[in-house]
Amino acid sequence: MRLRILSVTAASALFAAAAIPALAHHSFAAEFDVTRPVRLSGVVQRMEFSNPHSWIYIEVTTVDGDVQEWAIEGAAPNALLRRGWNRNSLPAGTAIDVAGFQARDRSFRAAGREVTLPDGSNLFVGSTGAGAAPASEE
């Protein structure tokens, strides 16, 4: 009987330990700075529809002629699908404008809020809920 109780306790501890990485998901404020809004115009290099966040990689040419590759974090693919996105929404070569918030470490990484397509339509790419950046007031 003691062996059975010990086995059940050990198994429970292993399951609990396996769940810890799922609890370690970051908040918006841990990685991005709401006081550093960015507006980027660039060309899509690729889009990754992956969990827990989607990523849009764009090439931005600055006014000085420097070329920067920005990584834009978006909501989970399931959330994007409900908003009208799909894997083919941003094919490579598409010129887009992105509004978002730069990473705290000042790298070329941002939390995306809104993507404007060449036809002028807008798609919300941001995350919602606790810790997310506030909606834009434009």
Side-chain angles (χ1 to χ4, degrees), residues 1-124:
M1 183 66 170
R2 283 187 174 179
L3 182 58
R4 187 172 194 180
I5 292 172
L6 183 59
S7 296
V8 170
T9 303
S12 297
L14 285 173
F15 284 121
I20 289 172
L23 299 174
H25 187 236
H26 67 86
S27 71
F28 172 89
E31 289 196 43
F32 302 102
D33 189 345
V34 74
T35 66
R36 293 191 56 89
V38 292
R39 284 209 170 272
L40 304 165
S41 294
V43 177
V44 174
Q45 301 303 299
R46 68 186 185 282
M47 180 174 181
E48 295 177 0
F49 241 56
S50 58
N51 283 312
H53 295 282
S54 58
W55 288 93
I56 303 166
Y57 296 91
I58 63 172
E59 190 172 274
V60 175
T61 303
T62 67
V63 292
D64 297 330
D66 296 329
V67 176
Q68 304 167 340
E69 184 174 304
W70 280 77
I72 311 301
E73 181 179 295
N78 190 32
L80 295 181
L81 287 167
R82 289 190 309 263
R83 296 177 196 156
W85 288 81
N86 66 52
R87 290 184 180 275
N88 302 314
S89 292
L90 292 178
T94 304
I96 62 172
D97 294 325
V98 177
F101 300 92
Q102 190 171 16
R104 288 192 173 279
D105 65 6
R106 308 298 192 250
S107 62
F108 298 140
R109 200 168 48 90
R113 292 292 297 160
E114 191 171 73
V115 172
T116 303
L117 300 173
D119 66 2
S121 62
N122 295 316
L123 293 172
F124 179 64

